[in-house]
Amino acid sequence: MDQAETVRTPSSWVVVGLDNGGTCNNATVLDATGQFLVDNLVENPSRVLDGPESAVEALAGAFANILELTSTPLSLVRAVGLDTPGPASAHGVISSKGATNFNQVSWHGFDIRGALEARLGLPVVYNNDGNAAALYAHHQHFGAAAAANSSVSAIVGTGLGGGVVEAGTVIRGAAGMAGELGHVQIPLHGVLEDDQPVPRCNCGFAGDVESVASLTGIRNNLLPYWLTRFPDHPLAKEPIATAAKALRGYGEKDDALALAVFGQQAKAIGKLFTIAANFTDPAAYFLGGGVVEAAPHFRQWFLNSVREATDLRDEQKAVATFALVPDRDMAGARGAAVAALNTVTPL
């Protein structure tokens, strides 16, 4: 980690970004000039399984720890950005039915943003984790021109998150549910094999993007089918959940079964991006999540496959960019910090 300056001018100030996950919190510090004071993951246990009170205290601990690591006085912090997995409202209230990492009854309807704000005594700005990563990708790619551009991001993980950024700002929607790209239903022609069952999502939809392009989609839908086509594959001997997690490693080795599965995922995301092209006509399409953390040749193959599966007009092809979300596991915390920075009015 680069060491932060120990002496700052009296006019300097910072914001803190906190990325809350199922096992760890990741934290970062962003100064008023737009420079991050850490260049690697700084993680602490998130304790979300211990309930809201313990989890908020863990976030406060991550906040204190990152200030200590960067030699940043508390007095210089103007705001805190927080992201968590959804579903949650635009103001950081966890869904009344709970969420992926917040399935205990005590989490249902819990205002995690408000609780952290009360605990820290500082303004807290909330985004879901997909939106935070999308915002970081946008600002990192466009830099000073961020406010003049638009983008769409697909973040492939256990589910499929994402975000729509217009003029440098995340589109939230009336209920805070905009950018839930995983649950956009897509045409499956050209994605599935003729005898392949229509995939179903845990949300109840059939044929949405997440039912194909996610770890859950691999486990529930794609891999069971492809193992019938490759019955002698080593993964056929493993429990399906174990096999699904191991599949990316096979993809990095150009395994035929794995490439068939990930090829279908790329086609599904291409269908999603085609819808985006006709709905928002973004300047950039970003791809993030687990595939970005794969071997370079594999992630480039996947990105190229998504690009080839995205049906753009010639005019759009001339101006659109396809890119990977940068900085991988740090994107959430950095995006949360960018969102906080954008709310601060310089003194």
Side-chain angles (χ1 to χ4, degrees):
M1 181 179 70
D2 291 340
Q3 293 299 311
E5 294 179 5
T6 56
V7 178
R8 296 187 175 91
T9 64
S11 62
S12 66
W13 50 271
V14 304
V15 296
V16 171
L18 298 174
D19 172 44
N20 170 262
T23 56
C24 292
N25 295 319
N26 179 30
T28 193
V29 179
L30 178 63
D31 72 17
T33 70
Q35 299 297 310
F36 288 97
L37 303 188
V38 290
D39 61 2
N40 63 313
L41 279 171
V42 179
E43 294 185 315
N44 302 89
S46 64
R47 299 184 64 191
V48 294
L49 297 180
D50 296 335
E53 183 176 342
S54 296
V56 170
E57 197 59 35
L59 283 166
F63 172 82
N65 180 63
I66 199 67
L67 295 188
E68 181 179 353
L69 282 175
T70 56
S71 302
T72 301
L74 176 61
S75 60
L76 294 185
V77 182
R78 297 277 293 277
V80 176
L82 170 68
D83 79 73
T84 77
S89 76
H91 303 294
V93 178
I94 304 301
S95 168
S96 60
K97 295 183 179 180
T100 302
N101 291 341
F102 310 110
N103 54 12
Q104 295 166 301
V105 174
S106 57
W107 278 111
H108 295 188
F110 183 75
D111 181 3
I112 190 170
R113 186 209 64 82
L116 183 62
E117 185 169 272
R119 172 64 177 80
L120 298 180
L122 288 163
V124 175
V125 179
Y126 178 82
N127 282 280
N128 71 44
D129 53 359
N131 283 351
L135 184 64
Y136 177 63
H138 183 93
H139 280 262
Q140 187 73 1
H141 182 81
F142 290 111
N149 283 284
S150 59
S151 66
V152 171
S153 297
I155 314 297
V156 186
T158 304
L160 188 134
V164 179
V165 178
E166 179 65 39
T169 301
V170 170
I171 301 301
R172 295 179 178 274
M177 301 298 180
E180 289 289 346
L181 303 182
H183 304 300
V184 173
Q185 290 171 296
I186 57 173
L188 296 174
H189 176 73
V191 176
L192 302 182
E193 298 292 297
D194 291 341
D195 62 341
Q196 192 169 0
V198 173
R200 299 199 65 86
C201 182
N202 285 346
C203 75
F205 283 172
D208 64 11
V209 188
E210 185 173 304
S211 70
V212 179
S214 66
L215 178 62
T216 303
I218 290 176
R219 183 183 68 235
N220 293 349
N221 301 309
L222 303 190
L223 190 54
Y225 169 79
W226 282 103
L227 284 173
T228 67
R229 302 284 292 269
F230 292 84
D232 297 325
H233 195 280
L235 290 180
K237 302 176 183 178
E238 301 289 343
I240 194 66
T242 302
K245 291 181 180 179
L247 191 66
R248 190 178 72 193
Y250 282 87
E252 293 173 333
K253 299 174 184 176
D254 297 327
D255 176 80
L257 179 150
L259 293 184
V261 171
F262 288 112
Q264 289 192 317
Q265 291 199 325
K267 290 175 182 177
I269 295 171
K271 296 284 189 182
L272 171 68
F273 283 169
T274 300
I275 293 171
N278 289 285
F279 196 77
T280 67
D281 189 24
Y285 301 83
F286 297 117
L287 183 65
V291 70
V292 177
E293 299 162 24
H297 79 277
F298 178 77
R299 64 179 184 243
Q300 190 60 52
W301 169 82
F302 193 82
L303 179 64
N304 291 344
S305 298
V306 169
R307 182 191 291 113
E308 292 167 4
T310 304
D311 191 7
L312 302 181
R313 294 176 174 83
D314 289 342
E315 298 88 341
Q316 294 172 313
K317 290 179 181 178
V319 296
T321 297
F322 285 76
L324 299 171
V325 174
D327 298 319
R328 305 172 194 174
D329 285 346
M330 293 187 289
R334 289 188 165 194
V338 169
L341 185 71
N342 289 343
T343 67
V344 176
T345 302
L347 297 176

